[in-house]
Amino acid sequence: METQDHNRLSDAIMCLQQALVEGNKSSNVDIDMMLENIHRCSIIIKEQIDYEKDDFLKTAFSSLSGSLAAHINVLTNKLQNLNQNQHLCLSVPDASQTVLTTDMVQMSPDCGKGRNIRNSPAISKVQSTEDEAMSGGDSQTRNRQGIIESTILSGDHIRFDDVIGLKESKRSLYDAIIMPLMFPHLFSGGRRPWQRILLFGPPGTGKSHLAKAVSTEVKATFYCVSSTDLMSSWVGESEKLIKELFHHANSQDGQTIIFIDEIDSLCRHRSSREDEGTRRIKTELLIQMDGALQCANPKILLLCATNCPWDLDTAFLRRFQKRIYIPLPDYQSRLDMLKLHIKENPVNISTEEWSTLATQTDGYSGSDLSTLTLGALLQPIRDLQTTIKWEITQDGKWKPCEGTHSKGIRARISEIPPEKICARAVNLQDFLTCMKSHRPTVSKAELYRFEEFTTSFGQTG
């Protein structure tokens, strides 16, 4: 009898350990498996109480039975809420109420191995809610539609001319997207426009801006999607969201563009160690990518961007018909970007100094240049705190001046009305000072890696 009790206890421990591992997951939590394991253990606990003779163990088993019943109730309610209410993401229940602890696993009795508990009231209730969730027009479908509709961007009027530099990249996108829409009669038979394009390159080089410019040029419905919009902890929900995204895009009037930023977060190399949920998500995305292209009249353009193209699985990489490298800005582009960022502020920089600044910022991305310009613009504000001599302009403003200025007025900034103070113009030294602390964020090793990838798989942009 003792051997039988020991075996039953071992089975119970294994059963609760499986539920504990599942409950500690941060994504793809299989709540059905958790509920089934806890319910199986609860059945055996109740049987154990009936013939247990030791009062101490009987009390412990009774306490554990009550705790398991509470877990079953909370998890069942969680399933009902997820299937009927607005939540698409499964959050692991609060630790004080539903999280299985190691102490519970150690106290677990027999799990009733081999028993059929599919017909139990709790499991039948779960199965009925699952059947309701699968029926058409339910709240989950409406919620998925709401999530996809929230990714549609409107009001952005960025055009190709607003994107500085990247002439070759814009030309490639123009030939691949704009031309087929302007002259559709030229693209017939085997000549078809590109439908899946990958933009890759260092961060901050304008990949997202290019995607928005494309949507403006073609007057298309623009879906701006990230991995957080498509990933869900609820098992099977991510695949449904991906399917809903392409279905929703295909139902729109006119051209639609699906832009997925940081696509590498969804399409990394597949391995035998990844969980089944992640593999199903990748499989569904591959299916939808192929299906969007095989339509008789394809209207969906899939435009993706990544900073790590070498992390993409080869199956996804192969499906991108065009892979365009978005490089760091060249000399003229850096010069134009700097002037654009500072055009609304007073500047005291000569033509030669602009040339010096553009040369010394070699290796900076567009984002780096924006940060550098902001630092330079703040430098005159910082100097106001230590200024002790001022001159009064014709419009009555107090402006910092050199200490040797003959008509300067000595005063501290705290002694001057705030609305009368104006800052000096930005000069070259402000930029040079900021360059000491604002360095490029892209290393030469990374640039070399991008060049190698472009040579093997991409197209120079």
Side-chain angles (χ1 to χ4, degrees):
M1 187 66 178
E2 291 181 358
T3 303
Q4 183 180 2
D5 289 345
H6 179 74
N7 292 336
R8 290 161 63 87
L9 181 60
S10 298
D11 291 340
I13 291 175
M14 180 183 66
C15 196
L16 286 180
Q17 281 177 336
Q18 291 176 354
L20 177 61
V21 171
E22 193 69 25
N24 286 332
K25 285 185 178 180
S26 59
S27 63
N28 295 317
V29 180
D30 192 344
I31 196 171
D32 291 308
M33 187 270 279
M34 291 179 62
L35 185 60
E36 181 172 339
N37 277 305
I38 297 174
H39 193 276
R40 288 170 60 191
C41 186
S42 178
I43 293 175
I44 304 306
I45 286 290
K46 292 177 182 178
E47 295 178 354
Q48 187 88 6
I49 293 174
D50 291 338
Y51 62 78
E52 182 60 55
K53 297 180 180 180
D54 188 297
D55 292 338
F56 176 78
L57 290 178
K58 195 164 188 174
T59 302
F61 288 144
S62 298
S63 176
L64 180 58
S65 178
S67 179
L68 291 174
H71 288 311
I72 292 173
N73 182 57
V74 172
L75 290 174
T76 303
N77 290 335
K78 175 62 71 174
L79 273 174
Q80 291 176 329
N81 290 336
L82 288 169
N83 287 329
Q84 297 174 3
N85 297 333
Q86 299 179 358
H87 301 288
L88 290 176
C89 295
L90 171 64
S91 57
V92 178
D94 184 82
S96 63
Q97 299 178 356
T98 60
V99 174
L100 296 174
T101 64
T102 305
D103 292 338
M104 286 182 60
V105 174
Q106 292 174 348
M107 291 179 60
S108 309
D110 190 337
C111 284
K113 189 173 182 179
R115 294 179 181 268
N116 181 12
I117 56 95
R118 285 290 180 180
N119 295 324
S120 64
I123 299 302
S124 298
K125 194 172 185 180
V126 171
Q127 290 174 340
S128 64
T129 56
E130 289 176 346
D131 293 338
E132 291 174 4
M134 295 177 64
S135 61
D138 63 1
S139 60
Q140 273 200 14
T141 301
R142 292 192 297 270
N143 287 331
R144 282 194 291 270
Q145 292 174 349
I147 290 176
I148 299 305
E149 288 174 357
S150 68
T151 65
I152 299 177
L153 294 187
S154 59
D156 288 322
H157 301 290
I158 301 174
R159 308 191 72 88
F160 275 159
D161 294 340
D162 299 325
V163 180
I164 296 176
L166 303 177
K167 292 183 179 180
E168 292 300 324
S169 302
K170 290 187 287 187
R171 170 54 62 183
S172 298
L173 290 172
Y174 188 90
D175 293 342
I177 301 170
I178 311 299
M179 287 291 289
L181 293 176
M182 292 178 61
F183 309 101
H185 62 283
L186 298 178
F187 293 83
S188 59
R191 185 189 294 134
R192 304 180 66 183
W194 307 112
Q195 294 297 127
R196 297 174 303 217
I197 300 175
L198 176 68
L199 306 178
F200 68 93
T205 52
K207 296 182 287 294
S208 299
H209 272 65
L210 270 178
K212 293 177 181 178
V214 169
S215 69
T216 303
E217 295 288 346
V218 302
K219 297 180 175 59
T221 304
F222 186 73
Y223 296 80
C224 186
V225 184
S226 65
S227 60
T228 56
D229 297 312
L230 300 177
M231 298 297 289
S232 172
S233 297
W234 179 233
V235 175
E237 192 63 34
S238 296
E239 300 95 289
K240 294 178 183 178
L241 282 169
I242 293 173
K243 186 180 296 184
E244 179 64 33
L245 170 63
F246 282 84
H247 173 75
H248 197 281
N250 197 49
S251 65
Q252 298 296 313
D253 295 330
Q255 186 76 18
T256 57
I257 296 177
I258 298 177
F259 175 64
I260 304 180
D261 202 4
E262 305 295 345
I263 186 66
D264 53 282
S265 61
L266 291 172
C267 307
R268 291 186 181 273
H269 290 290
R270 287 175 287 183
S271 67
S272 58
R273 292 179 294 178
E274 68 183 3
D275 59 82
E276 184 63 26
T278 303
R279 185 174 290 274
R280 289 199 304 267
I281 292 171
K282 294 177 181 179
T283 301
E284 181 62 35
L285 185 55
L286 287 172
I287 293 173
Q288 294 300 325
M289 290 173 69
D290 284 336
L293 184 65
Q294 293 170 359
C295 296
N297 184 24
K299 56 187 295 186
I300 298 177
L301 168 66
L302 180 62
L303 197 59
C304 299
T306 178
N307 301 327
C308 306
W310 42 80
D311 286 340
L312 294 179
D313 187 83
T314 53
F316 288 95
L317 196 61
R318 178 184 64 81
R319 281 167 170 78
F320 287 110
Q321 304 156 309
K322 206 168 184 64
R323 299 174 286 270
I324 303 175
Y325 177 42
I326 310 299
L328 293 176
D330 56 17
Y331 169 87
Q332 187 60 46
S333 298
R334 293 194 301 274
L335 184 59
D336 293 340
M337 287 181 185
L338 288 168
K339 290 182 177 180
L340 175 66
H341 291 315
I342 208 171
K343 67 177 182 179
E344 296 180 356
N345 300 90
V347 180
N348 183 20
I349 301 178
S350 64
T351 303
E352 293 77 12
E353 289 175 334
W354 276 121
S355 178
T356 300
L357 186 57
T359 301
Q360 295 195 17
T361 52
D362 184 24
Y364 282 71
S365 67
S367 178
D368 294 336
L369 292 173
S370 177
T371 303
L372 176 65
T373 304
L374 178 59
L377 288 171
L378 291 175
Q379 197 64 38
I381 307 299
R382 190 176 296 111
D383 291 346
L384 290 175
Q385 303 175 30
T386 57
T387 300
I388 59 174
K389 205 163 189 180
W390 309 76
E391 64 174 325
I392 302 178
T393 61
Q394 293 181 352
D395 57 356
K397 298 291 185 180
W398 289 61
K399 183 178 180 180
C401 64
E402 298 292 337
T404 57
H405 196 283
S406 58
K407 296 184 180 180
I409 301 175
R410 297 182 64 87
R412 293 286 184 181
I413 189 174
S414 58
E415 302 171 352
I416 306 172
E419 66 277 4
K420 296 291 186 180
I421 298 174
C422 67
R424 62 171 175 81
V426 179
N427 54 40
L428 176 62
Q429 187 58 44
D430 294 328
F431 279 96
L432 298 179
T433 300
C434 289
M435 287 178 65
K436 297 177 181 179
S437 56
H438 295 80
R439 306 303 304 163
T441 56
V442 183
S443 66
K444 291 184 179 180
E446 289 178 299
L447 290 177
Y448 178 74
R449 195 172 185 184
F450 277 113
E451 292 170 0
E452 278 191 324
F453 183 87
T454 303
T455 302
S456 302
F457 303 104
Q459 169 189 334
T460 303

